[in-house]
Amino acid sequence: MLILLTGLLLGGTYTLIALGLTLQYGVARIMNLANGETLVAACFVTFWLYAGYAINPLLGLLVIGPGAFVVNWLIYAWLMQPLVKRARNRGMLEVDSILATFGLLFLFQGLMLQAFGGSYFNYEFLAQPFSIMGDSFGLNRVVAFVAAAVIAAALYVFLYHTDRGTAVRAVAVDPRAARLVAIDVRRTAAFAFALGGAITACAGTLLSTFYTFNTSMGVLFTMKALIIVIMGGVGDIRGAVLAALVLGLTETLVASLLDPGLTLAANYALFILVLLFRPQGIFGKRPA
Amino acid sequence: MNIPRNELLAVGAGLAGAAVLAFLPLVTEGFWLSVSVNIMLYAAICTAWALFSGPTQLVSLASAAFFGVGTYSVAIFVDVLPFPALVLIAVAAGALLAILVGVATLRLSGVYFVIFTLGLAELMGQIVTWVQTNFGGTIGLYVFTDLTEAHLYWMLLALTVIVFMTGWLINRSRLGLALRIIGNDEAVARHVGVDTARARIILFAVSGAFIAVAGAIMAPRYSYITPDAAFNPMTSFLVVIMALLGGTRRLWGPLVGVVPFTLVMDFISGHFPNQTAVIVGIAFLSIVYVLPDGVTGQLESLFRRRRPTDHSLLATAVEEGR
């Protein structure tokens, strides 16, 4: 029961990371391998705000979310847009965006390494026990889960109950058809990329409240996010939520029953199962 | 076999060049020899990488995983087996890893493959660390051999020659023909009975085995081997960047990128050790934006006024049509 709930609490944060990535890949069609660096950067900014200015990480979200939105918008406008224009088809864009964001990954990692060094960081925030059904959990983990759930729910309402959100989903389904109903595809794609980055950054802030982080862990989280997105099916929000919870649960099971050093191996094991049995995603339809 | 004359000339020139290069350790040592070892190392790895990623257009980010597997093949067995046997173990280990990855991902669309390779080096490092802490005692392993820098150079030179010969032979074989058809139009390839997944998996295994051998040859240079050093993600990164700089449409394309980049890298890591990642990141981005076809691709389209080769275009047009 302890493992089950710990896994679910972790899955809450993973959900946000994956939702960020699925917006960037599913809507803006950018396979962002530097997604994890956004997350790590948010961890460090949160740490810096908390340690330097005693700003509560939850309040920090209000700065970091919009900040990441602007930064990711600029990344899209300056770095991704030229690739979109250059690409003659989706496959070419995929290769180009993979290469470009792979370069960004090392650039950002290098910048952060210079600023913060390679050591591990953590800070104490709400480090008190909180009891659920007889077991006690870190209050920070519970708060992070609740905050993640609130943000995910807000995203859901936005995507499914507003015009802007409907436009985002339309571009995800078919960019060409979206143009026929007067959706500005370029703007919407930029918006989705920026929003995805902002959501990933929020996930980073929440993660940092209970997780020990360092500058080189970005790739691990990009992997987790990618695996969740594929497991859930690209662009499928329900799928992503379920997949994130499954991943959080599997990781916690492996970490507590086998060895914490095998979490990535657990991720990969799950990934292989998905590739072998349901490459189209949990709720995806089998392609004809 | 009917071999065109210009290809025979190229092979002859290549072998002659290699023969001349083999004398290098006799005339120089120290700094320039160690730089030459680096150049040979990346010449072998980048060409092996391009063997797979060139024709298939699938970006493999897993060079470090194969390199590390080769290094560890040596580190684990160095005290009990002679060096040639260790190289054979590296070949088997590299090919096996590639086949496992290939079977899981290469039957599906390309993006799964790229994602799988992204974390592969990290995964292998984690597994090795886990095995060593739980069953082996210590994290690091010592590799002591009598091999000098000159020996490493000769072995890497031989490996590079073998990689080139293999690439040339593949191009002339049924497998090469199959790959060209897949590159031109995957749907057509399937229709004429090409087993696309099998062709890709074989090619990936060949490429992975070569990179593992390069890792095995380099093991004596490190002498103390840790998972972090053997599976350093920087290796994967440098391989992609050098191969892209040179261009992957020709077998010798990556070589054009390797020589200048290794020299520049050596200068940068010597003078700005802390900024290396940032500088290399910027260099990588500029290559992706300014020279998407690499130096050789750019020169070719300049001289021949030919439109960029269509095989990448068509292959992806099929993807889009799905």
Side-chain angles (χ1 to χ4, degrees), chain B residues 240-265:
Chain B
V240 179
I241 184 173
M242 289 184 205
L244 280 185
L245 173 62
T248 55
R249 283 196 209 137
R250 293 267 173 270
L251 191 56
W252 47 270
L255 203 59
V256 177
V258 165
V259 178
F261 203 90
T262 316
L263 292 171
V264 173
M265 260 313 279

Side-chain angles (χ1 to χ4, degrees), chain B residues 1-300:
Chain B
M1 208 155 64
N2 189 10
I3 302 170
R5 206 158 155 254
N6 58 344
E7 282 193 23
L8 269 183
L9 276 177
V11 171
L15 287 175
V20 172
L21 283 174
F23 286 102
L24 190 109
L26 303 180
V27 294
T28 183
E29 53 186 21
F31 173 73
W32 285 108
L33 182 57
S34 105
V35 170
S36 308
V37 168
N38 281 342
I39 291 179
M40 272 305 154
L41 170 69
Y42 281 107
I45 304 183
C46 291
T47 312
W49 179 88
L51 276 188
F52 174 77
S53 292
T56 59
Q57 299 273 320
L58 294 169
V59 183
S60 161
L61 307 176
S63 307
F66 294 107
F67 186 85
V69 163
T71 311
Y72 264 91
S73 306
V74 171
I76 294 169
F77 299 108
V78 70
D79 293 330
V80 289
L81 289 170
F83 202 76
L86 301 177
V87 171
L88 288 181
I89 293 176
V91 168
L96 181 69
L97 179 63
I99 289 170
L100 290 177
V101 174
V103 168
T105 59
L106 287 175
R107 294 169 302 128
L108 304 163
S109 105
V111 73
Y112 299 108
F113 169 79
V114 180
I115 294 170
F116 204 96
T117 58
L118 172 66
L120 194 64
E122 199 91 33
L123 172 73
M124 297 307 295
Q126 205 180 69
I127 292 174
V128 169
T129 309
W130 180 73
V131 170
Q132 287 186 329
T133 45
N134 285 279
F135 308 103
T138 54
I139 298 275
L141 288 170
Y142 288 96
V143 173
F144 292 124
T145 56
D146 306 329
L147 298 170
T148 64
E149 199 85 339
H151 290 125
L152 301 189
Y153 174 82
W154 280 317
M155 285 194 281
L156 289 168
L157 178 64
L159 177 64
T160 309
V161 170
I162 295 171
V163 173
F164 267 90
M165 290 305 282
T166 313
W168 180 64
L169 289 174
I170 287 178
N171 264 335
R172 301 195 50 82
S173 69
R174 283 175 65 86
L175 179 63
L177 181 63
L179 288 164
R180 278 195 293 279
I181 302 175
I182 297 172
N184 277 321
D185 191 326
E186 196 177 336
V188 168
R190 287 218 187 95
H191 275 289
V192 295
V194 176
D195 187 341
T196 55
R198 188 169 145 265
R200 284 182 181 145
I201 292 171
I202 294 174
L203 198 63
F204 192 47
V206 171
S207 159
F210 280 135
I211 300 176
V213 171
I217 295 174
M218 288 303 279
R221 195 195 225 190
Y222 301 135
S223 69
Y224 182 67
I225 296 187
T226 59
D228 283 349
F231 295 101
N232 186 353
M234 199 64 170
T235 312
S236 313
F237 187 59
L238 288 176
V239 168
V240 179
I241 184 173
M242 289 184 205
L244 280 185
L245 173 62
T248 55
R249 283 196 209 137
R250 293 267 173 270
L251 191 56
W252 47 270
L255 203 59
V256 177
V258 165
V259 178
F261 203 90
T262 316
L263 292 171
V264 173
M265 260 313 279
D266 195 78
F267 177 80
I268 292 173
S269 56
H271 289 75
F272 312 98
N274 298 322
Q275 285 83 14
T276 310
V278 176
I279 296 173
V280 176
I282 292 172
F284 188 99
L285 285 174
S286 15
I287 291 171
V288 173
Y289 286 95
V290 184
L291 281 175
D293 297 323
V295 176
T296 54
Q298 198 74 15
L299 289 178
E300 239 168 60

Side-chain angles (χ1 to χ4, degrees), chain A residues 161-247:
Chain A
H161 295 284
T162 65
D163 287 350
R164 199 73 201 266
T166 312
V168 170
R169 285 189 296 129
V171 174
V173 175
D174 190 339
R176 261 181 251 172
R179 268 160 74 180
L180 295 178
V181 288
I183 292 169
D184 185 340
V185 173
R186 207 175 277 177
R187 258 185 82 90
T188 309
F191 174 77
F193 188 87
L195 185 65
I199 287 174
T200 305
C202 289
T205 298
L206 296 176
L207 186 77
S208 72
T209 62
F210 63 88
Y211 199 89
T212 308
F213 48 95
N214 77 346
T215 42
S216 56
M217 71 173 194
V219 176
L220 294 181
F221 281 88
T222 310
M223 276 308 297
K224 289 187 213 295
L226 289 166
I227 294 173
I228 293 169
V229 167
I230 290 172
M231 202 184 343
V234 176
D236 185 341
I237 294 207
R238 293 167 310 155
V241 173
L242 186 63
L245 296 179
V246 170
L247 190 84

